[in-house]
Amino acid sequence: MNAGMDSFILDPLNQDLMGMLFATEALLGEDDYCMEYIGAYREGIFGQKK
């Protein structure tokens, strides 16, 4: 993403890939105050299974 990748295909049910997507956006500064990352974690999109 940092090198200019605009899009990619991924399985939205794969929690590892979704977590990597949200983390990358947060680390690149595209997610103000990491609110999207936090919201996705709270919704269970990625992270530990309960």
Side-chain angles (χ1 to χ4, degrees):
M1 291 175 80
N2 194 29
M5 182 175 66
D6 293 332
S7 63
F8 58 96
I9 299 172
L10 66 94
D11 180 9
L13 299 178
N14 186 326
Q15 290 187 335
D16 292 333
L17 289 176
M18 292 303 292
M20 190 179 323
L21 172 66
F22 283 103
T24 302
E25 289 178 348
L27 291 171
L28 289 176
E30 296 177 7
D31 183 6
D32 293 334
Y33 303 107
C34 299
M35 296 306 293
E36 294 290 328
Y37 181 89
I38 294 168
Y41 182 81
R42 287 181 179 168
E43 291 176 14
I45 295 175
F46 68 93
Q48 295 180 346
K49 295 183 181 180
K50 298 179 182 178

